[in-house]
């Protein structure tokens, strides 16, 4: 497209379009003019600026209603012209300014702006913005004369109305930026003419007339709906402090005297608009601005976006730098903003606040020579008054900012904080606000639902210490009712610690102990505050800016802690209802509902053991029980905290504290038991004990005494067993002699209360026998590795022969077979050798354990741990058929441990196994799958210890059912998808397959039984089965190889024979196996793998035989036959 560079050429092109637009004002004509303007150069257009603007301005001035599309097109065209040209005439600038403002005003002029479309409003605002930037040189200053006050006021009111009332974010931002240009404070990248001192003062005088309206409207924009976006708020704050600093600058006001005359104005009405910035006006305006600044600070400090908070810091910095004298009443609010943001999450904001506060602290005094402490004390007084309301009405970000302000004020006040605390009214307000904000959310059912599952794997010392990070590292995560943000809780902890560090400890503890005793509603919150007060008073985990004058003595801390602990462990505050009592009722549904949790096993399943206080609600709700759980946890955390504060001095308090803590360590509620264990670890570190074991053993005398006394009053003291359980779990074998009598008391109590409290007592017994296994069996297994298989060695001759056949070459095997044949023939003819008599002597004692139920008495006394295991096993045998599935599961766990403990004492174990066998068989073949799983584990343990005592019983009573169950369930698992591996049926299949092979080997089953096992497990070698079941089935055949390798080899080759076997001589018949020349099947891969493993074992065994030892020469075949 051609470009016309000369005014003459451009005029020739533009004239027809301009004439047509003057005659007919339509959108099409404006668009034609706009299109022609694209062909004119900027220099040519500058010469024709007024000519081209005339038809556009004429269109705007035409009386009567006009379509918005036409006005918008005209304004866009004017904007396009002004963006490429400069306005060099004063009249043109003022007229364009007025005409554009009129586009926004309503016809009546009463309610500016007019109800126009958003597009038109945005276009006009942008046109005003471009017009202000297009003013050339000093021409811009012609708008800032007293005579133009009405025009400026009109424009300011229009733009403020748009910024405040419009919902569109773009219009708000455009109006605010246009206002910033209008006050000559534009921050864009373009070059702007700098004002000298006189011109700046002239503009300040002029905008003093608009300051009330601008500041009030901007405060409403700043504190408006947060949905307007952070950029609108940032722009409004920036415009606010630029306007205020322009009018209220100390440098300008210092040059204005009280008697200075007002600027001369031609018209008297205009003179009324001009403001004289004298001392009275400054004082009055500063008081009103103080209210607005306070409002802005309160809102912006809580804003979630960091840029808004950073702009607030810039406001404080700007006003403190330029208006610290004129805005003396606002200094407190400005300091409040800085103190509140000094702990902001943004590092940039923190560093900026610290920088400003350090400069203020170095001066030590602020406006009117008031001490900084006075300003902060006033802020703290007002904050303490408003804190309860703010905690109830603000969101998380608001609470965080308010508490940041409180913490910052306390840190800056330091020891002067007692000025506020000595006021009963303010202390009451502060404490009630803390009680309110610290209220816990106790509606979550998971708190009471999570249970402790048992002692397995939990006998070691738990990790975690108060030394690392003090309370935060070990505290249970808490959920609060009025906030979610964890930073708020950290702030409250720091607030309480700073109060304890600087405040009067006796006053604070007495006040919060009063709240603790006053109401159950405040009890948890007061306990949290007390814990943190003591921590802060000891100077631990507290961040302060200045040291206190005098530290709290150890004696004062000890006395205060003792009084707090007396309240904590009082029965009314300690023995609270934490779960629903289900003892004595059938809980089949409950246990079935939670089978997924019961599978991992342990002595504790999903039983709920209650802990009722004397005044507890007979029908507690989930909320009340959760509340009690959290109260106990907080008090336990307090015990650990106090121990760390006192160090070894805390040993003097262990006599009254350790028993209650151990009671909670044995609680069935997971949250309580974990917290109590963490508390014991903290006590160990604080008091100088090496471990929890040493802590318990060193204080076991009075612990045992307390347990013994309370076991005699089970109805009133139902939790004594928990203490014993916790002692056993966290101690060692040296504890056993001290608790033998207590264990007898537990067994007696079980005999007496087996109907209604069997579950809780079984929990203790499970912990006991698990501890016995850990303390004695493992050690003895290392010292006497051969004792565990003592009874099995006399009945494994056939197994040894099988193993021998593996290492014997082929020729010797044939000869040995014939020699055995001759031997058997002689026996059949009646020629009995002396060996048979020896075998009869060896085999005769085998049935004795079945006939003798009690064993030999009095020959050698049982060790203490074995006698305890025997006594426990006698009680549990009677409970194997209990109607409660939960009880049966616990009994099976206890039996497994008892069998392990008694494995070296067959005279005691075998009669017990004989008595338990009928009920155990019932659990194996006719019970809930979960009970079958546990019973099979007991059976495997019995097989390891009892050996061939169970062979005939297992073959007759159990094996047919297990094999039949495996065969029945195999098609189901073959068709199932990946989810099947999470079902109880799969876990039962897997457990049976994993244990069946070792059972066959340990029980030395006969050929017919081995065939049953092989037939049942063969189908699990299918590639269609889950991978884990295939691996378990392969393990069965690997065990069968140890029992009878030849039969296993033959069985596998009948399925798949990888090699053809050619006879070595034509006279011999060819070997025919079922698996020869068979097509590849689903069993091929696993069978070939097993045959390969069998071949590797034979090869390894052959090479392991000593080569230099001459083999015994067997008799020749003729000699053997003749």
């Amino acid at each position: 497209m051609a470009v016309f560079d000369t005014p003459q050429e451009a005029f020739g092109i533009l004239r027809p379009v301009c004439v047509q637009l003057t005659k007919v004002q339509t959108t099409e004509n404006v668009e034609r003019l706009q299109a022609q303007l694209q062909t004119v150069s900027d220099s040519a257009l500058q010469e024709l600026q007024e000519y081209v603007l005339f038809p556009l301005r004429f269109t705007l001035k035409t009386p009567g209603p006009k379509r918005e599309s036409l006005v918008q097109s005209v304004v866009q065209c004017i904007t396009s012209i002004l963006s490429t040209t400069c306005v060099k005439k004063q009249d043109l600038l003022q007229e364009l300014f007025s005409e554009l403002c009129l586009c926004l005003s309503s016809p009546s002029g009463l309610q500016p702006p007019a109800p126009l479309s958003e597009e038109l409003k945005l276009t006009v605002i942008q046109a005003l913005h471009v017009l202000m930037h297009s003013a050339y040189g000093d021409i811009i200053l012609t708008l800032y004369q007293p005579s133009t006050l009405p025009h400026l006021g009109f424009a300011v009111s229009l733009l403020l109305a748009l910024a405040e009332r419009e919902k569109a974010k773009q219009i708000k931002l455009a109006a605010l930026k246009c206002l910033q240009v209008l006050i000559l404070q534009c921050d864009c990248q373009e070059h702007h003419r700098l004002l000298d001192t006189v011109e700046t003062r002239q503009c300040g005088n002029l905008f003093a007339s608009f300051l009330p309206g601008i500041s009030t409207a901007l405060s409403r924009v700043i504190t408006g709906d947060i949905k307007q976006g952070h950029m609108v708020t940032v722009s409004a704050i920036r415009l606010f402090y630029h306007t205020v600093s322009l009018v209220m600058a100390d440098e300008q006001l210092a040059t204005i005297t009280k008697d200075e005359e007002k600027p001369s104005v031609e018209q008297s009405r205009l003179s009324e608009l001009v403001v004289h910035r004298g001392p009275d006006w400054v004082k009055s305006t500063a008081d009103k601005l103080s209210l607005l600044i306070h409002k802005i600070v309160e809102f912006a400090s809580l804003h979630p976006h960091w840029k808004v908070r950073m702009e607030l810091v810039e406001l404080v910095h700007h006003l403190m730098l330029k208006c610290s004298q004129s805005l003396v009443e606002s200094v407190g609010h400005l300091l409040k903003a800085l103190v509140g943001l000094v702990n902001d999450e943004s590092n940039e904001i923190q560093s900026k606040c610290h920088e400003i506060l350090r400069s203020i602290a170095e001066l030590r005094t602020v406006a009117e020579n008031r001490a900084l402490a006075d300003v902060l004390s006033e802020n703290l007084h007002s904050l303490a008054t408003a804190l309860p309301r703010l905690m109830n009405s603000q969101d998380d970000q608001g609470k965080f900012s308010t508490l940041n302000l409180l913490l910052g004020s306390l840190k800056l006040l330091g020891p002067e904080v007692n000025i506020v605390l000595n006021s009963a009214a303010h202390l009451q307000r502060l404490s009630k606000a803390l009680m309110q904000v610290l209220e816990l959310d106790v509606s979550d059912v998971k708190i009471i639902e999570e249970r402790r599952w048992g002692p397995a794997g939990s006998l070691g010392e738990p990790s975690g210490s108060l030394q690392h990070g003090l309370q935060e590292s070990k505290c249970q995560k808490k959920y609060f009712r009025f906030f979610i943000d964890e930073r708020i809780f950290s702030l409250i902890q720091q607030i309480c610690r700073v109060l304890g560090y600087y405040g009067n400890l006796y006053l604070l503890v007495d006040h919060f102990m009063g709240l603790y005793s006053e109401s159950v509603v405040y009890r948890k919150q007061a306990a949290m505050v007390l814990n943190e007060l003591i921590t802060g008073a000891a100077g631990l985990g507290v961040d302060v800016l200045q040291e206190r004058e005098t530290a709290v003595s150890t004696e004062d801390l000890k006395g205060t802690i003792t009084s707090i602990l007396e309240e904590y462990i009082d029965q009314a505050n300690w023995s609270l209802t934490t779960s629903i009592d289900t003892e004595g009722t059938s809980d089949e549904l409950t246990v079935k509902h939670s089978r997924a949790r019961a599978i991992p096993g342990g002595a504790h399943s999903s039983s709920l053991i209650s802990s009722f206080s004397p005044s507890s609600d007979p029908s507690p709700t989930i909320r009340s029980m959760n509340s009690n759980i959290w109260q106990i946890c907080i008090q336990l955390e307090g015990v650990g905290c106090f121990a760390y504060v006192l160090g070894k001095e805390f040993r003097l308090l262990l006599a009254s504290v350790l028993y209650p803590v151990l009671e909670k360590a044995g609680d069935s509620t997971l949250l309580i038991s974990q917290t109590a264990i963490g508390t014991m670890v903290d006590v160990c570190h604080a008091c100088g004990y090496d471990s929890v074991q040493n802590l318990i053993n060193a204080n076991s005398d009075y612990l045992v005494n307390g347990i013994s006394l309370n076991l005699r009053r089970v109805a009133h003291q139902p939790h004594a067993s928990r203490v014993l359980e916790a002692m056993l779990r966290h101690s060692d074998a040296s504890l056993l002699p001290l608790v033998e009598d207590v264990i007898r008391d537990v067994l007696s109590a079980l005999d007496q209360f087996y109907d209604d409290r069997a579950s809780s007592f079984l929990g203790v017994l499970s912990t006991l026998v698990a501890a016995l296994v850990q303390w004695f069996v493992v050690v003895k297994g290392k010292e006497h590795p051969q004792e565990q298989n003592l009874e099995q060695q006399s009945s494994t001759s056939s197994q040894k022969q099988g193993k021998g056949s593996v290492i014997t070459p082929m020729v010797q095997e044939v000869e040995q077979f014939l020699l055995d044949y001759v031997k058997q023939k002689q026996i059949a003819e009646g020629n009995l050798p002396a060996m048979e008599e020896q075998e009869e002597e060896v085999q005769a004692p085998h049935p004795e354990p079945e006939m003798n139920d009690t064993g030999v008495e009095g020959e050698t006394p049982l060790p203490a741990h074995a006698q305890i295991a025997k006594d426990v096993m006698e009680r549990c045998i009677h409970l194997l058929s209990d109607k409660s599935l939960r009880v049966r599961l616990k009994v099976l766990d206890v039996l497994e441990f008892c069998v392990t403990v008694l494995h070296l004492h067959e005279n005691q174990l075998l009669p017990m196994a004989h008595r338990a066998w009928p009920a155990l068989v019932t659990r194996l073949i006719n019970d809930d799958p979960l009970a079958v799983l546990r019973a099979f584990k007991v059976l495997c343990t019995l097989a390891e210890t009892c050996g061939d005592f169970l062979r005939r019983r297992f073959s007759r009573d159990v094996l047919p059912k297990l094999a039949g169950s495996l065969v029945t369930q195999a098609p189901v698992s073959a068709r199932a998808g990946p989810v099947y591996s999470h079902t109880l049926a799969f876990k039962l299949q897997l457990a049976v397959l994993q244990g069946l092979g070792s059972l066959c080997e340990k029980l030395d089953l006969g050929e017919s039984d081995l065939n049953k096992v092989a037939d049942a497990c063969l189908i699990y070698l299918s590639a269609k089965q889950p991978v884990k079941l295939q691996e378990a089935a392969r393990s069965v055949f690997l065990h069968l190889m140890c029992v009878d390798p030849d039969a296993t080899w033959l069985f596998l080759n009948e399925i798949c024979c990888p090699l053809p076997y050619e006879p070595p001589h034509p006279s011999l018949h060819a070997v025919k196996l079922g698996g020869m020349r068979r097509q590849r099947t689903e069993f091929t891969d696993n069978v070939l793998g097993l045959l390969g493993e069998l071949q590797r074992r034979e090869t390894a065994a052959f090479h392991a035989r000593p080569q230099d030892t001459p083999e015994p020469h067997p008799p020749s075949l003729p000699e053997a036959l003749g």
Side-chain angles (χ1 to χ4, degrees):
M1 182 180 293
V3 176
F4 301 96
D5 294 327
T6 63
Q8 292 79 9
E9 294 175 344
F11 181 77
I13 294 299
L14 296 175
R15 182 178 179 277
V17 184
C18 292
V19 171
Q20 182 64 25
L21 178 59
T22 306
K23 292 179 180 180
V24 182
Q25 292 84 27
T26 62
T27 305
E28 291 76 11
N29 290 335
V30 176
E31 291 175 352
R32 290 191 190 98
L33 175 59
Q34 179 73 35
Q36 293 298 331
L37 289 174
Q38 303 299 323
T39 65
V40 178
S41 65
D42 294 346
S43 59
L45 185 59
Q46 178 66 50
E47 296 294 331
L48 300 173
Q49 182 190 55
E50 292 188 57
Y51 178 79
V52 177
L53 287 175
F54 174 78
L56 297 171
R57 294 172 58 195
F58 180 78
T59 303
L60 294 178
K61 293 179 180 180
T62 302
K66 291 179 282 291
R67 288 183 301 169
E68 288 189 5
S69 60
L70 175 62
V71 178
Q72 184 176 345
S73 299
V74 171
V75 174
Q76 286 176 344
C77 191
I78 293 174
T79 304
S80 176
I81 296 170
L82 295 177
S83 63
T84 56
T85 61
C86 296
V87 178
K88 298 182 178 180
K89 292 185 178 181
Q90 173 181 345
D91 295 340
L92 181 60
L93 176 64
Q94 294 181 0
E95 290 173 3
L96 280 173
F97 186 81
S98 300
E99 289 164 3
L100 290 174
C101 291
L102 287 172
C103 292
L104 293 173
S105 64
S106 61
S108 62
L110 299 177
Q111 295 181 349
L116 306 174
S117 65
E118 292 181 351
E119 292 79 6
L120 179 56
K121 293 175 183 177
L122 184 60
T123 303
V124 175
I125 295 171
Q126 290 172 347
L128 282 171
H129 190 277
V130 172
L131 176 63
M132 298 297 294
H133 281 82
S134 67
Y136 182 76
D138 295 339
I139 297 298
I140 188 68
L141 295 179
T142 60
L143 282 178
Y144 300 95
Q145 302 296 328
S147 59
T148 60
L149 269 177
H151 301 283
L152 282 176
F154 183 60
V156 168
S157 62
L158 283 174
L159 293 173
L160 287 175
L162 289 171
E164 184 177 357
R165 299 174 187 174
E166 285 297 321
K167 294 183 179 179
K169 186 188 301 183
Q170 288 182 327
I171 297 178
K172 285 177 172 287
L173 284 173
L176 291 170
K177 289 182 179 179
C178 190
L179 273 171
Q180 192 170 341
V181 174
L182 200 59
I183 64 171
L184 302 178
Q185 299 292 330
C186 183
D187 54 4
C188 65
Q189 300 299 323
E190 297 183 20
H191 176 71
H192 295 280
R193 181 184 181 280
L194 299 178
L195 303 179
D196 57 24
T197 305
V198 177
E199 293 169 344
T200 303
R201 178 179 172 185
Q202 178 183 346
C203 290
N205 288 330
L206 200 65
F207 279 98
S209 303
F210 307 137
L211 181 61
I214 294 177
S215 58
T216 304
L218 289 178
S219 68
R220 289 195 294 266
V221 174
I222 294 170
T223 59
D225 192 349
I226 198 173
K227 295 178 182 178
Q228 68 184 356
H230 73 277
M231 288 305 300
V232 175
T233 308
V234 169
S235 298
I237 294 175
R238 185 178 298 123
L239 179 59
F240 180 87
Y241 68 73
H242 278 308
T243 306
V244 173
S245 62
L246 175 64
V247 178
M248 303 294 291
D250 294 335
E251 186 178 352
Q252 291 186 38
L253 296 176
T255 62
I256 298 176
T257 62
K258 184 175 182 180
D259 300 329
E260 184 176 345
E261 296 182 358
K262 292 184 179 181
S264 60
V265 187
E266 296 178 358
Q267 302 177 10
S268 58
R269 295 190 60 184
L270 288 179
S271 64
E272 297 176 359
L273 300 178
V274 179
V275 171
H276 174 61
R277 294 184 289 172
D280 296 336
W281 180 89
V282 171
K283 180 69 169 63
S284 174
T285 304
D287 292 340
K288 296 172 183 176
L289 283 175
S290 177
L291 300 175
L292 298 179
I293 291 174
H294 177 256
K295 182 180 178 181
I296 292 171
V297 166
E298 289 293 325
F299 179 84
S301 299
L302 313 178
H303 202 282
H305 203 284
W306 70 273
K307 288 187 177 180
V308 175
R309 302 195 300 274
M310 176 59 84
E311 200 63 33
L312 176 63
V313 175
E314 293 294 339
L315 178 145
V316 175
H317 187 212
H318 209 80
L319 297 184
M320 290 290 290
L321 186 65
K322 293 187 176 183
C323 312
S324 59
Q325 299 299 322
S326 59
L327 298 179
V328 60
E329 297 295 333
S330 301
V331 170
H333 304 314
L334 299 177
L335 285 177
K336 177 181 176 181
L338 285 179
V339 169
L341 295 173
V342 75
N343 293 314
D344 193 86
E345 60 181 356
S346 171
N347 293 330
E348 296 178 16
I349 297 177
Q350 285 187 24
S351 59
K352 188 67 174 179
C353 289
H354 279 294
E355 178 185 345
I356 300 173
L357 280 174
R358 274 195 298 269
S359 63
I360 296 174
E362 289 173 0
L363 297 175
R364 189 57 188 170
T365 55
V366 289
E368 293 188 355
N369 296 323
R370 292 186 300 179
L372 178 62
D374 295 338
V375 178
L376 294 173
S377 295
E378 290 181 7
N379 289 343
L380 194 58
H381 274 81
S382 59
L383 182 59
T385 303
L387 202 55
R389 174 179 54 83
L390 295 175
M391 291 298 100
N392 192 37
S393 59
Q394 291 177 323
D395 58 5
D396 270 17
Q397 187 61 39
K399 293 183 177 71
F400 180 76
S401 300
T402 302
L403 293 172
N404 250 330
L405 173 62
L406 178 61
L407 178 59
S409 300
L410 292 174
K411 286 182 178 180
L412 287 174
L413 274 174
E416 302 297 326
V417 73
N418 286 302
I419 299 174
V420 179
L421 298 181
N422 288 333
S423 170
H426 288 92
L427 179 57
Q428 184 74 12
R429 292 189 183 99
L430 179 63
S431 60
K432 286 298 178 66
L434 291 174
M435 296 300 99
Q436 185 172 349
V437 74
L438 282 172
E439 184 175 350
L440 290 167
D441 180 10
V442 292
S443 60
D444 189 1
V445 71
K446 291 182 181 179
I447 299 173
I448 189 174
E449 192 180 52
E450 292 180 342
R451 318 302 294 171
R452 180 172 54 81
W453 292 114
S458 62
L459 292 170
E461 180 176 338
S463 61
S465 168
L466 194 65
Q467 304 272 5
H468 299 89
L470 202 63
Q471 272 309 87
E472 291 83 359
S473 65
K474 77 173 188 65
C475 273
Q476 299 288 348
K477 179 178 174 60
K478 300 176 179 65
Y479 299 92
F480 295 89
R481 181 180 176 187
F482 293 109
F483 65 87
I484 301 175
D485 197 340
E486 295 183 8
R487 299 175 304 160
I488 296 179
F489 182 54
S490 299
L491 273 179
I492 297 173
Q493 285 182 308
Q494 277 298 315
I495 289 170
C496 297
R497 291 176 185 177
V498 171
L499 285 173
Y501 186 81
Y502 288 122
N504 186 330
L505 183 61
Y506 285 108
L507 172 65
L508 292 169
V509 169
D510 182 69
H511 179 77
F512 283 101
M513 284 303 296
L515 291 176
Y516 179 90
S517 305
E518 177 182 328
S519 172
V520 178
V521 177
Y522 297 146
R523 195 158 294 164
K524 298 181 293 297
Q525 302 93 301
M528 280 189 275
V529 173
L530 286 167
N531 297 344
E532 301 302 333
L533 285 176
I534 297 298
T535 304
L540 304 173
V542 59
D543 180 22
V544 293
L545 299 178
Q546 51 185 316
E547 295 296 326
R548 54 188 169 183
E549 298 174 354
T550 56
V552 182
S553 66
T554 304
E555 290 300 321
D556 290 341
L557 281 174
K558 188 189 300 183
T560 304
I561 288 173
T562 302
S563 63
I564 296 175
L565 285 176
E566 288 176 357
E567 288 291 329
Y568 279 5
I569 63 177
D570 184 81
Q571 288 300 310
N573 303 322
W574 195 257
S575 298
L576 305 173
T577 305
T578 58
S579 55
I580 302 171
D581 187 5
T582 56
E583 293 281 354
T585 60
S586 178
D587 296 313
E588 300 287 338
L589 295 178
T590 303
V591 176
K592 288 179 181 178
H593 178 69
S594 57
R595 278 179 188 167
R597 292 191 173 194
I599 288 171
H604 295 272
S605 61
S606 57
S607 62
L608 301 174
I609 304 174
S610 67
S611 57
F612 288 102
S613 62
S615 59
S616 62
D617 188 350
S619 57
T621 64
I622 289 179
R623 293 182 64 88
S624 64
M625 290 186 289
N626 286 345
S627 176
N628 293 338
I629 290 171
W630 275 119
Q631 180 182 331
I632 294 171
C633 290
I634 293 167
Q635 292 171 170
L636 285 167
E637 291 171 359
V639 173
C641 175
F642 300 156
Y644 184 60
V645 167
L646 290 180
K648 292 188 177 181
E649 294 291 328
F650 194 76
R651 289 193 176 196
L652 301 175
L653 303 177
L654 286 177
S656 59
V657 170
L658 188 56
Y659 186 98
V661 173
L662 279 171
E663 177 186 316
K664 297 307 175 185
D667 198 284
S668 61
T669 304
L670 183 65
L671 197 62
I672 295 177
S673 62
Q674 287 182 342
T675 308
I677 291 170
T679 298
M680 287 196 295
V681 175
D682 297 336
V683 171
C684 288
H685 287 296
C687 296
Y689 292 102
D690 296 333
S691 64
V692 175
Q693 295 179 0
N694 293 340
L695 172 67
I696 294 175
N697 292 346
N699 300 275
S700 60
D701 48 357
Y702 76 88
L703 290 174
V704 170
N705 183 59
I707 296 171
S708 180
L709 291 175
N710 291 331
L711 280 175
R712 298 168 189 172
R713 301 179 297 162
V714 175
H716 301 286
Q717 297 289 340
H719 309 312
S721 58
R722 293 183 185 175
V723 183
L724 177 59
E725 185 179 350
M727 291 176 65
L728 293 169
R729 184 178 293 110
H730 302 290
S731 190
D732 55 13
S734 61
L735 181 69
L736 187 61
L738 302 174
V739 298
E740 279 190 56
D741 294 336
V742 177
I743 294 171
R744 308 283 178 200
D745 294 339
V746 172
L747 294 175
S748 300
L750 176 61
D751 294 339
Q752 190 173 2
F753 300 100
Y754 65 90
D755 281 336
D756 54 349
R757 306 211 63 85
S759 182
S760 59
F761 286 120
L762 283 172
V764 182
L765 297 179
S766 179
T767 304
L768 169 63
V769 291
L772 295 180
V773 170
Q774 182 180 10
W775 296 343
F776 298 100
V777 176
V778 175
V779 175
K780 289 197 173 185
K782 291 180 180 178
E783 292 177 357
H784 309 285
Q786 302 298 327
E787 291 182 8
Q788 297 184 12
N789 299 318
L790 211 55
E791 294 296 325
Q792 298 180 21
Q793 291 178 357
S794 62
S795 60
T796 56
S797 58
S798 61
Q799 180 177 343
K800 290 180 181 179
Q801 291 175 3
K803 290 182 180 180
S805 65
V806 174
I807 65 173
T808 306
M810 181 73 71
V811 176
Q812 294 183 2
E813 288 184 8
V814 175
E815 291 187 5
Q816 185 65 37
F817 172 77
L818 293 174
L819 290 174
D820 291 342
Y821 172 77
V822 173
K823 175 183 174 182
Q824 295 295 332
K825 184 177 179 182
Q826 292 176 350
I827 293 174
E829 293 174 354
N831 299 325
L832 297 177
M835 185 183 300
E836 186 185 48
E837 298 176 1
Q838 296 176 1
E839 290 180 357
E840 291 178 354
E841 292 177 359
V842 173
Q843 294 177 1
H846 281 297
E848 287 184 4
E850 297 185 16
M851 303 300 294
N852 188 0
D853 291 342
T854 60
V856 181
E857 297 286 341
E859 293 184 358
T860 55
L862 284 176
H865 68 277
Q867 185 61 47
I868 292 173
K870 177 187 174 185
D871 295 339
V872 171
M873 193 170 180
E874 284 181 348
R875 267 73 171 187
C876 290
I877 288 173
H878 299 292
L879 296 174
L880 261 179
S881 301
D882 193 271
K883 60 183 179 180
S884 171
L885 175 59
R886 181 176 65 253
V887 172
R888 298 199 299 273
L889 294 174
K890 287 189 176 184
V891 168
L892 289 169
D893 285 334
V894 175
L895 282 178
E896 182 181 356
F897 289 126
C898 289
V899 170
T900 305
V901 174
L902 293 173
H903 76 285
L904 295 179
H905 308 281
E906 285 194 349
N907 290 338
Q908 309 298 327
L909 176 59
L910 296 183
M912 291 291 179
H914 174 71
R915 292 167 56 188
W917 183 255
L920 183 62
V921 170
T922 305
R923 304 285 75 77
L924 282 166
I925 64 178
N926 187 24
D927 205 337
D928 187 276
L930 191 54
V932 174
L933 191 61
R934 299 282 182 91
F936 189 76
K937 290 175 60 179
V938 177
L939 176 64
C940 294
T941 306
L942 276 173
E944 292 179 0
T945 54
C946 296
D948 51 350
F949 171 75
L950 294 179
R951 184 189 305 120
R952 184 167 56 86
R953 300 166 184 262
F954 175 76
S955 301
R956 181 188 68 232
D957 300 333
V958 178
L959 182 59
K961 296 289 184 180
L962 288 181
S965 175
L966 288 175
V967 173
T968 304
Q969 198 65 23
V972 178
S973 58
R975 296 191 304 267
V979 181
Y980 182 72
S981 61
H982 300 283
T983 62
L984 187 58
F986 172 83
K987 294 175 182 177
L988 185 57
Q989 281 178 284
L990 184 62
V992 172
L993 287 172
Q994 289 175 339
L996 194 55
S998 61
L999 277 174
C1000 295
E1001 184 177 359
K1002 290 165 185 172
L1003 297 181
D1004 193 20
L1005 296 181
E1007 182 179 355
S1008 61
D1009 293 331
L1010 294 179
N1011 289 336
K1012 291 179 184 178
V1013 173
D1015 291 336
C1017 296
L1018 173 62
I1019 193 171
Y1020 289 95
L1021 294 179
S1022 169
K1024 298 179 181 178
Q1025 296 288 341
V1027 176
K1028 288 187 177 181
L1029 295 184
Q1030 294 182 48
E1031 294 174 354
R1034 288 198 296 269
S1035 71
V1036 174
F1037 283 95
L1038 292 176
H1039 283 286
L1040 294 181
M1041 292 176 189
C1042 298
V1043 181
D1044 194 343
D1046 295 336
T1048 305
W1049 178 88
L1050 184 60
F1051 181 85
L1052 294 174
N1053 275 277
E1054 289 293 330
I1055 306 302
C1056 177
C1057 183
L1059 300 174
Y1061 294 98
E1062 299 295 337
H1065 192 272
S1067 62
L1068 297 176
H1069 293 287
V1071 177
K1072 296 182 179 180
L1073 298 174
M1076 288 181 173
R1077 299 183 180 86
R1078 182 173 291 182
Q1079 295 293 331
R1080 183 179 180 84
T1081 65
E1082 60 196 77
F1083 303 99
T1084 302
D1085 290 338
N1086 284 319
V1087 171
L1088 291 179
L1090 289 171
L1091 288 173
E1093 176 64 26
L1094 180 59
Q1095 183 64 35
R1096 283 191 293 272
R1097 290 187 180 188
E1098 290 182 349
T1099 304
F1102 177 76
H1103 290 295
R1105 181 172 58 84
Q1107 299 296 327
D1108 53 349
T1109 304
E1111 295 186 14
H1113 182 69
S1116 64
L1117 201 58
E1119 293 176 353
L1121 294 176

